[in-house]
């Protein structure tokens, strides 16, 4: 362990040591790190920590979830809306393995988490003791860092390191496994020193000014430059810097789903969403621009489609904090390594103030075509059953783009991300990289804790809701205010769409039955309503939003509706289909 | 999408040198970077480096430079990894060591041991009544060669070590390490009220 001594917060030698158990030391550490809310589930191997928690009720709010997967998704939702580190507790064995999906999700979406798992006594490690699982090895591929503590003396330093690693550089999940003996063990606690330096760890690369100047030169010479931005802008808390760059350069900008909201949806230079179900213009014009400026995004295959036909005509400028992202998928012409909070202002300084009016108009022309052929029918159908799009459109009208929208995975996610309006940053919470069904309900609970004064609406499919609906129990017990909007198409819709388009409508096991969701919610003490008629939509949404506390609204939507546009698997982005 | 990717050309042996903290579990973290991409590790050696507490991995794989560069960046991303270098065989001096166990009686009866050793640059490590153990050090062809020479004499056991390699054009890691230790600690890493109130750090 290496901690830079010059920044010692409470110089240990000045502080009288106190005898503490490992568990109490852990909780002290969490408090210093600014933790307010912990999502967790107890068990034998983490009992000493829970026992200590009893004395910390005033300082640390613990939310008892109904499943550890719910706990970690809640931690993710919390981190995503608050910009802080989510903290999750679980016991050994099954408790810890239930975290794996959430860890993988947080890892791929760069979400800062510190997960604490209990472990059997150190002397039992490796003996197949009751509820012993090799948590460190299981979680290695899905954590930014993990570590097993077997001695209480390690706790302050390791926890400090855990928080530093989770939140710095490209954020990510960290798991600390603590054996039971270390939780119980008493030791001399000499105060807590937050970590801000690890010898072998470079959270951000050194900025190289010559590359920024080179990037600016390429941008200034461009006729049709195009900005693609991702979550890096939000993670770097660089929304202002980003906006300044966009506005001075006059360049059209499109977003990946995790980048949504960094600038408002209605910003005149915001030309829409990238990727498989993104907007028509940004996809087609990716293959027409002459300079592509990628900011804090990682060229995921859902964004690029077929790589060998992706933006081959363009010079690519890539701004990223993670050097491993440069050239990983798309060859870069100029790489700007660094934290975009620092690199963007430097770049803005060198780019010429311009307005790419004609080029921007081209995007708008594509938008017009998309509206005509897809959007109008999706958002404003006059007859027939309701569409997912019109539900989101009505929701926009009522929330003014101020709500946090948490989506699950499937068609409703794509519709939600395409059509939800965001005026504020950190408003779009979704499982982007892993595409985890069951994410939305628990993530929405966490999101509400992370953004207590904002309305939080979870938009969920009938399939995904049934994966973690037991978290309504968490809502019941905590009284947290989460609006649940189920878009029920009575199918595993997204899979059905693929079967329709690519498997000759062979609807293999996508016909899913659901319980009476309103009744189930009622069982959990959550008010609810189910509607089928368009005439009821606005009123029902108002009822949901205005209700005190949680509310479940089920909207029955068209069974076989498809999300378009779509870049079919194996096609290039310019082959995006409008129908 | 693998069908669309052009087949990688120009694979060759690369020597990857990784400087790390000495930490449990790190070997696993590094190994899975290869297994995840279904890349076979031809040889892996880990040892202390010239600097106390810093370990050095030597990893040999057969891949294109493009793949190797990406792998190295992924390895360097690991928290406990200080630095990663990669080199072709031409850029390093490398050795592998091999041991051969042969029945003593046959060797004594049929061969001139002395000539055998001289011709193959080997030496006898152990000479017992029942068997003899030879050792050679060198490149793969050299150590392989002695196998075929000894096979007719009833080679009982053969083992070869992982490759170790010294980078020709390197000044070692000492200076680099000082750079690592001096790197300014990050600022603004923690946003929380307690940090401005030193005495509040103890909450009890
Ligand atoms: C945990 C998990 N299992 C399976 C999938 C594969 N999958 C992706 S979308 C989808 C259908 C989702 O159906 P539903 O929740 O009803 O939403 P809809 O697409 O109908 O909006 C499935 C099964 C997944 N993403 N996650």
């Amino acid at each position: 362990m290496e901690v830079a001594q010059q920044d010692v917060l409470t110089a240990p030698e000045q502080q009288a040591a106190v005898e503490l158990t490992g568990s109490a030391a852990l909780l002290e550490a969490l408090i210093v790190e600014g933790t307010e809310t912990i999502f967790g589930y107890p068990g034998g191997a983490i009992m000493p920590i829970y026992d200590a928690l009893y004395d910390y009720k005033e300082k640390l709010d613990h939310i008892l979830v109904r499943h550890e997967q719910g706990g970690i998704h809640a931690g993710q939702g919390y981190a995503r809306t608050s910009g802080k580190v989510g903290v999750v507790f679980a016991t050994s064995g099954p408790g810890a393995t239930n975290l794996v999906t959430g860890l993988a999700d947080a890892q791929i979406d760069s979400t800062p988490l510190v997960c604490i798992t209990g472990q059997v006594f150190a002397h039992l490690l490796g003996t197949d003791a009751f509820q012993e699982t090799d948590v460190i090895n299981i979680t290695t591929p899905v954590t930014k860092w993990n570590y097993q503590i077997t001695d209480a003396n390690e706790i302050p330093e390791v926890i400090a390191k855990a928080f530093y690693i989770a939140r710095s550089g490209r954020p990510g999940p960290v798991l600390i496994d603590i054996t039971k003996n270390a939780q119980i063990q008493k030791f001399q606690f000499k105060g807590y020193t937050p970590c801000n330096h690890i010898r072998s760890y470079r959270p951000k690369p050194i900025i190289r000014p010559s590359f920024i100047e080179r990037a600016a030169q390429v941008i200034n010479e461009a006729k049709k430059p195009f900005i693609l931005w991702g979550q890096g802008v939000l993670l770097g808390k660089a929304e202002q810097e980003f906006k300044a760059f966009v506005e001075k350069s006059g360049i059209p900008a499109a977003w990946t789903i995790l980048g949504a909201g960094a600038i408002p949806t209605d910003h005149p230079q915001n030309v829409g969403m990238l990727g498989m179900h993104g907007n028509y213009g940004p996809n087609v014009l990716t293959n027409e621009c002459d300079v592509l400026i990628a900011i804090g995004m990682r060229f995921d295959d859902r964004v690029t489609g077929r790589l060998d036909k992706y933006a081959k005509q363009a010079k690519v400028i890539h701004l990223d904090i993670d050097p491993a992202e440069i050239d990983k998928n798309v060859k870069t012409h100029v790489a700007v390594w660094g934290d975009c909070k620092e690199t963007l202002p430097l770049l803005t300084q060198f780019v010429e103030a311009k307005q790419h009016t004609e080029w921007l108009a081209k995007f708008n022309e594509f938008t017009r075509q998309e509206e005509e052929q897809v959007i109008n029918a999706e958002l404003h159908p006059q007859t027939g059953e309701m569409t997912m799009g019109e539900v989101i459109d009505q929701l926009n009208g009522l929330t003014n783009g101020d709500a946090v929208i948490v989506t699950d995975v499937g068609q409703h996610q794509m519709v939600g991300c395409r059509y939800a309006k965001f005026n504020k940053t950190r408003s779009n919470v979704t499982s982007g990289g892993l595409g985890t069904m069951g994410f939305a309900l628990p993530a929405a609970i966490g999101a509400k804790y992370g953004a207590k004064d904002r309305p939080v609406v979870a938009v969920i499919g009938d399939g995904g809701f049934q994966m973690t609906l037991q978290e309504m129990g968490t809502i019941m017990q905590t009284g947290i205010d989460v609006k649940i909007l189920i878009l029920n198409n009575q199918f595993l819709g997204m899979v059905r769409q693929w079967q329709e388009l690519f498997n000759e409508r062979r609807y293999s096991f996508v016909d899913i039955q659901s319980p009476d969701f309103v009744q189930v919610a009622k069982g959990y003490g959550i008010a609810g309503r189910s509607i089928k008629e368009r005439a009821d939509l606005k009123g029902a949404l108002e009822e949901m939003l205005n209700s005190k506390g949680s509310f479940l609204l089920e909207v029955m939507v068209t069974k076989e509706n498809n999300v378009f546009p779509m870049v079919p698997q194996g096609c290039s982005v310019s082959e995006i289909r409008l129908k | 999408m693998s069908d669309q990717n052009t087949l990688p050309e120009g694979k060759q042996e690369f020597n990857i040198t990784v400087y790390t903290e000495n930490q449990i579990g790190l070997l696993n973290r590094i190994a899975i970077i290869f297994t995840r991409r279904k890349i076979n590790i031809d040889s892996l050696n880990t040892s202390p480096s010239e600097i106390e507490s810093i370990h050095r991995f030597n990893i040999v794989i057969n891949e294109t430079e493009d793949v190797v560069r990406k792998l190295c960046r992924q390895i360097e991303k690991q928290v406990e990894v200080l630095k990663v270098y990669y080199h072709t065989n031409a850029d390093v001096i490398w050795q592998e060591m091999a041991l051969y166990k042969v029945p003593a009686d046959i060797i004594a009866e049929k061969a001139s041991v002395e000539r055998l050793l001289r011709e193959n640059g080997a030496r006898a490590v152990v000479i017992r009544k029942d068997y003899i153990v030879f050792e050679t050090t060198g490149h793969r062809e050299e150590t392989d060669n002695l196998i075929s020479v000894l096979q007719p004499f009833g080679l009982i056991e053969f083992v070869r070590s992982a490759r170790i390699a010294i980078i020709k054009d390197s000044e070692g890691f000492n200076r680099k390490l000082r750079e690592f230790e001096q790197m300014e600690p990050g600022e603004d890493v923690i946003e929380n009220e307690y940090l401005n109130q030193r005495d509040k750090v103890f909450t009890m």
Side-chain angles (χ1 to χ4, degrees):
Chain A
M1 282 317 101
E2 299 292 329
V3 175
Q5 289 305 308
Q6 62 265 47
D7 264 54
V8 169
L9 186 75
T10 43
E13 62 285 357
Q14 289 164 17
Q15 196 90 55
V18 184
E19 193 178 67
L20 279 191
T21 61
S23 299
L26 166 73
L27 301 181
E28 289 290 331
L30 295 184
I31 291 168
V32 180
E33 292 291 356
T35 306
E36 288 156 355
T37 312
I38 298 160
F39 303 93
Y41 208 92
I46 199 171
M47 267 180 68
I49 291 175
Y50 272 83
D51 183 63
L53 204 51
Y54 197 77
D55 296 326
Y56 284 79
K57 274 189 190 155
E58 304 295 310
K59 289 177 182 144
L60 291 167
D61 195 10
H62 177 275
I63 309 303
L64 178 68
V65 292
R66 293 300 179 267
H67 186 292
E68 290 85 355
Q69 185 183 355
I72 189 162
H73 290 330
Q76 293 175 267
Y78 173 86
R80 292 272 284 271
T81 53
S82 70
K84 297 204 225 163
V85 179
V87 177
V88 182
F89 284 178
T91 191
S92 63
T97 56
N98 278 344
L99 296 179
V100 172
T101 304
L103 288 170
D105 197 295
Q107 171 88 336
I108 199 163
D109 282 352
S110 308
T111 308
L113 289 182
V114 170
C115 298
I116 307 288
T117 50
Q119 180 56 279
V120 301
F121 283 90
H123 70 271
L124 294 174
L125 285 171
T127 66
D128 297 328
F130 179 66
Q131 291 195 332
E132 187 207 349
T133 306
D134 186 354
V135 176
I136 293 298
N137 277 312
I138 288 177
T139 61
T140 294
V142 289
T143 48
K144 185 173 173 187
W145 188 66
N146 61 9
Y147 189 84
Q148 185 174 60
I149 294 178
T150 49
D151 182 325
N153 285 290
E154 295 179 285
I155 285 177
E157 213 166 310
V158 172
I159 298 300
K161 210 171 151 182
F163 272 90
Y164 176 52
I165 293 168
R167 64 159 68 96
S168 62
R170 179 175 179 169
V174 170
L175 181 136
I176 305 297
D177 194 40
I178 311 181
T179 57
K180 202 167 173 181
N181 58 292
Q183 298 171 38
I184 297 166
Q185 184 189 339
K186 291 202 165 127
F187 75 112
Q188 294 298 316
F189 179 73
K190 299 200 194 86
Y192 182 78
T193 308
C195 174
N196 63 1
H197 178 67
I198 296 169
R199 176 169 76 174
S200 57
Y201 173 60
R202 294 275 158 286
K204 41 190 177 187
I206 295 166
I207 296 169
R208 298 174 296 176
S210 61
F211 285 72
I212 291 184
E213 283 169 40
R214 177 89 192 90
Q217 191 190 345
V218 173
I219 294 170
N220 290 338
E221 285 163 8
K223 298 268 174 301
K224 295 193 266 182
F226 182 26
I227 295 169
L228 313 182
W229 92 83
Q231 197 194 194
V233 174
L234 281 70
L235 292 170
K237 302 190 167 95
E239 291 89 344
Q240 290 304 328
E241 291 79 0
F242 176 65
K243 188 156 175 265
F245 171 68
V246 168
E247 289 178 351
K248 182 174 179 195
S249 68
I251 303 172
W255 40 279
T256 72
I257 60 174
L258 292 191
I263 54 174
T265 313
D266 290 335
H267 191 285
Q269 280 167 262
N270 183 343
V271 294
M273 172 170 145
L274 293 163
M276 184 175 268
H277 292 289
N279 292 111
Y280 194 34
N283 273 305
V284 173
L285 295 175
T286 297
N287 278 354
E288 199 181 310
C289 66
D290 56 358
V291 172
L292 200 62
I293 308 150
I295 305 174
M297 58 85 75
R298 60 188 178 89
F299 292 109
D300 177 67
D301 57 272
R302 279 289 193 269
V303 162
T304 62
R306 190 172 166 155
L307 260 187
D308 61 350
K309 290 192 174 173
Y310 182 77
K312 288 293 170 205
Q313 79 296 341
K315 287 182 179 163
V316 176
I317 298 171
H318 194 173
L319 285 76
D320 209 291
I321 198 165
D322 179 357
E325 287 302 340
I326 307 290
D327 288 343
K328 189 181 83 178
N329 299 328
V330 171
K331 197 94 192 109
T332 300
H333 190 74
V334 186
V336 180
W337 296 10
D339 184 341
C340 61
K341 177 117 187 145
E342 294 161 33
T343 54
L344 276 172
L346 296 172
L347 192 57
T348 307
Q349 201 188 324
F350 290 118
V351 297
E352 291 161 9
K354 277 193 187 163
Q355 282 180 324
H356 291 278
T357 322
E358 266 173 55
W359 173 230
L360 194 60
K362 203 151 182 183
F363 282 89
N364 295 336
E365 171 53 23
F366 275 100
T367 307
R368 203 190 51 73
Q369 286 179 38
E370 189 180 337
E371 268 168 5
E372 222 166 67
Q373 296 190 49
V374 184
I375 300 177
N376 284 339
E378 178 67 37
L379 299 194
H380 312 292
Q382 301 305 323
T383 55
E385 291 163 302
M386 277 187 278
T387 64
M388 292 185 176
E390 70 179 312
V391 182
I392 302 296
D393 188 53
Q394 292 278 344
L395 184 69
N396 285 336
L398 297 170
T399 61
N400 283 325
D402 292 334
V404 173
I405 307 287
V406 186
T407 47
D408 208 72
V409 172
Q411 291 185 312
H412 65 280
Q413 174 188 33
M414 290 301 121
V415 173
C417 291
R418 281 177 59 82
Y419 298 114
K421 282 208 168 153
F422 300 116
N423 287 334
K424 297 194 169 106
T425 185
R426 298 188 175 276
S427 297
N428 181 39
V429 179
T430 194
S431 166
L434 203 66
T436 304
M437 282 173 76
F439 173 83
L441 182 62
I445 295 171
K448 183 71 188 180
Y449 278 98
K452 282 200 174 127
D453 47 4
R454 299 182 61 189
V456 173
V457 183
V459 180
I460 318 181
D462 44 323
F465 186 61
Q466 292 184 67
M467 285 205 174
T468 51
L469 63 72
Q470 75 280 3
E471 295 306 334
M472 284 196 292
T474 307
I475 294 177
M476 170 183 72
Q477 188 162 354
T478 56
I480 193 87
D481 177 3
V482 171
K483 312 302 184 199
I484 305 163
L485 178 56
I486 298 175
L487 300 182
N488 189 347
N489 55 4
Q490 300 168 65
F491 268 123
L492 297 175
M494 188 54 100
V495 179
R496 188 211 55 75
Q497 173 167 348
W498 283 48
Q499 289 172 340
E500 177 187 332
L501 298 177
F502 311 118
N503 292 355
E504 293 109 31
R505 283 182 164 264
R506 286 155 56 88
Y507 286 174
S508 184
F509 301 100
V510 287
D511 184 347
I512 188 169
Q513 286 188 11
S514 297
D516 181 335
F517 289 132
V518 175
Q519 282 299 323
V520 177
K522 198 171 165 203
Y524 283 106
I526 296 172
R529 181 172 170 193
S530 180
I531 60 161
K532 285 197 198 55
E533 303 300 328
R534 177 165 293 119
D536 297 332
L537 179 60
K538 189 159 182 241
L541 285 169
E542 275 169 345
E543 185 183 350
M544 173 182 86
L545 292 169
N546 296 335
S547 72
K548 275 214 156 49
S550 292
F551 192 94
L552 180 145
L553 174 62
E554 176 187 39
V555 182
M556 304 305 293
V557 294
T558 323
K559 285 186 74 172
E560 293 177 86
N561 205 15
N562 291 333
V563 190
F564 279 112
M566 177 176 196
V567 180
Q569 185 96 338
C571 289
S572 83
V573 284
S574 43
E575 292 170 284
I576 186 166
R577 291 169 50 175
L578 280 173
K579 42 170 97 72
Chain B
M1 305 239 306
S2 56
D3 47 335
Q4 297 149 14
N5 295 336
T6 45
L7 271 178
E9 280 169 20
K11 283 194 183 184
Q12 58 169 314
E13 270 189 352
F14 279 94
N15 299 270
I16 300 173
T17 309
V18 187
Y19 286 96
T20 74
E21 298 288 354
N22 181 13
Q23 170 101 15
I24 294 176
L26 191 58
L27 175 61
N28 195 16
R29 267 193 185 269
I30 290 176
I32 61 179
I33 291 171
F34 295 86
T35 51
R36 180 175 177 197
R37 291 164 183 75
K38 237 178 145 66
I39 291 172
N40 196 31
I41 294 180
D42 291 336
S43 167
L44 185 150
N45 179 76
T46 137
S47 69
S49 72
E50 62 272 28
I51 302 161
E52 209 193 308
S53 88
I54 290 189
H55 271 227
R56 175 176 176 145
F57 286 64
N58 263 304
I59 304 170
V60 183
I61 60 167
N62 209 323
E63 264 304 336
T64 61
E65 182 169 359
D66 190 45
V67 169
V68 172
R69 190 184 313 115
K70 287 177 189 171
L71 281 167
C72 289
R73 286 192 181 160
Q74 296 293 340
I75 298 170
E76 210 164 72
K77 244 172 98 159
Q78 301 306 316
V79 169
E80 277 106 0
V81 170
L82 288 111
K83 193 76 196 139
V84 182
Y85 301 100
Y86 69 87
H87 293 95
T88 60
N89 285 345
D91 297 333
V92 296
I93 295 154
W94 60 272
Q95 296 280 280
E96 291 165 352
M97 183 184 155
L99 297 175
Y100 314 74
K101 187 161 106 182
V102 200
D105 49 348
I106 307 183
I107 281 275
E109 197 179 302
K110 294 195 175 165
S112 153
V113 174
E114 215 183 281
R115 212 183 69 214
L116 215 135
L117 297 186
R118 214 176 325 113
E119 281 174 4
N120 292 281
R123 69 190 183 96
V125 186
V126 169
I127 303 175
R128 286 176 34 148
K129 261 212 245 65
D130 45 347
Y131 63 79
I132 303 177
V133 174
F134 298 121
E135 174 251 27
T136 58
T137 305
H139 285 196
R140 182 67 53 94
E141 314 84 69
E142 293 156 342
T143 50
D144 271 356
N145 194 37
L146 192 54
I147 304 181
S148 51
V149 172
L150 292 176
Q151 209 65 274
F153 303 111
L155 179 65
I156 303 168
E157 220 182 309
F158 163 75
V159 63
R160 182 167 38 221
S161 74
R163 174 186 299 186
I164 53 172
I166 290 269
I167 303 162
K168 287 182 185 167
D169 192 16
S170 155
E171 295 168 355
F173 203 64
N174 272 305
R175 210 177 65 203
K176 193 94 205 148
L177 181 71
R178 258 174 276 138
E179 227 172 81
F180 272 84
E181 296 196 287
Q182 278 167 7
M183 276 291 280
E184 286 296 307
E187 312 131 30
D188 304 332
V189 281
I190 291 152
E191 294 159 17
N192 96 63
E193 57 196 291
Y194 292 99
L195 297 189
N196 307 326
Q197 309 167 17
R198 289 177 164 244
D199 49 334
K200 267 234 180 139
V201 169
F202 260 94
T203 56
M204 288 172 298

